[in-house]
Amino acid sequence: MFVLVEMVDTVRIPPWSFHRQLNDAIAEELNKKLANKVVYNVGLCVCLYDVTKLEDSYIFPGDGASHTKVHSSYVVFHPFLDEILVGKIKGCSAEGVHVSLGFFDDIIIPPESLQQPAKFDEAEQVWMWEYETDEGAHDLYMDQGEEIRFRVVDEVFIDTSPTGPSAEKEGPSTAPTAPPAGAEDSAQQKEAPYTLIGSVSEPGLGLLSWWNS
């Protein structure tokens, strides 16, 4: 679930931090920059583990800060595919079951990856497993807050770094154009930079209460 990733970065230390030990100042700056942030195709950075190498520091004209190339090991949350994790149900929607690990919430189990047959209760906004027994079918609800065991089957990284203005204007336009319908709503929706796709469609997976009882 957690891995150590070797990273190389140039760290800027402001002049008012020169009185501190260089390693301490660098560790603080690296954690400010990376902790609790997603690095594209790497994972969710948690905290600095170790500084493995410091190269020479430089002060550039017009900038009183020092710039040091740093080699470090960083603790990163990046589960491997097919890893089994246990989280809590954050909520349900037509898109699937949303799961949280406490420190990471962007986990979804799509409907086709639930125990089958499954159905969604629109009124209660909850998924249920229609479990067949000799006495008939029983609806096993996947309520919010329940602990759930799932398998990681896929991951999605999205580059959410800011982009420059689009070069759509090839010439001056005299007629004002209205924004397309829903453009403001879509702009307000933030895409998750890192999403895990889970599955509970195997024996032993799903709500812990199902199997414990």
Side-chain angles (χ1 to χ4, degrees):
M1 181 162 64
F2 295 99
V3 295
L4 278 179
V5 176
E6 298 294 326
M7 295 189 176
V8 181
D9 198 3
T10 300
V11 178
R12 180 183 184 274
I13 304 298
W16 50 85
S17 296
F18 285 174
H19 68 283
R20 304 179 58 191
Q21 290 288 333
L22 182 59
N23 273 30
D24 293 341
I26 284 176
E28 181 178 334
E29 292 299 322
L30 281 175
N31 279 325
K32 281 183 183 177
K33 183 176 182 179
L34 295 173
N36 203 32
K37 293 181 175 64
V38 171
V39 176
Y40 186 68
N41 282 341
V42 174
L44 174 67
C45 295
V46 179
C47 65
L48 178 68
Y49 179 76
D50 190 21
V51 175
T52 56
K53 181 181 178 183
L54 295 177
E55 299 190 12
D56 293 336
S57 300
Y58 297 93
I59 296 179
F60 299 107
D63 185 1
S66 69
H67 299 259
T68 309
K69 192 172 184 179
V70 179
H71 300 250
S72 62
S73 297
Y74 220 89
V75 179
V76 174
F77 171 70
H78 189 178
F80 57 84
L81 296 184
D82 288 333
E83 184 171 357
I84 304 295
L85 300 178
V86 176
K88 286 189 176 181
I89 295 177
K90 184 181 177 184
C92 295
S93 69
E95 287 74 31
V97 178
H98 303 270
V99 180
S100 171
L101 297 178
F103 62 93
F104 185 77
D105 293 343
D106 296 316
I107 304 170
I108 186 168
I109 304 173
E112 63 271 14
S113 297
L114 299 173
Q115 293 277 8
Q116 300 298 325
K119 68 178 180 180
F120 183 61
D121 188 328
E122 290 282 353
E124 298 290 337
Q125 289 292 297
V126 64
W127 280 95
M128 64 186 75
W129 176 22
E130 297 179 304
Y131 182 63
E132 295 287 343
T133 66
D134 295 336
E135 300 175 355
H138 293 270
D139 291 337
L140 302 180
Y141 288 84
M142 307 181 72
D143 293 318
Q144 183 176 351
E146 290 277 358
E147 289 189 312
I148 184 170
R149 182 186 294 115
F150 63 96
R151 182 186 298 277
V152 178
V153 295
D154 199 5
E155 60 184 11
V156 179
F157 282 96
I158 296 177
D159 188 359
T160 58
S161 55
T163 57
S166 58
E168 294 179 354
K169 296 182 180 179
E170 297 182 357
S173 175
T174 56
T177 57
E184 294 182 359
D185 294 339
S186 61
Q188 291 176 356
Q189 293 178 354
K190 293 183 178 180
E191 291 183 296
Y194 179 38
T195 304
L196 293 177
I197 311 298
S199 172
V200 296
S201 60
E202 305 171 39
L205 299 184
L207 268 61
L208 299 189
S209 58
W210 293 350
W211 308 104
N212 292 339
S213 58

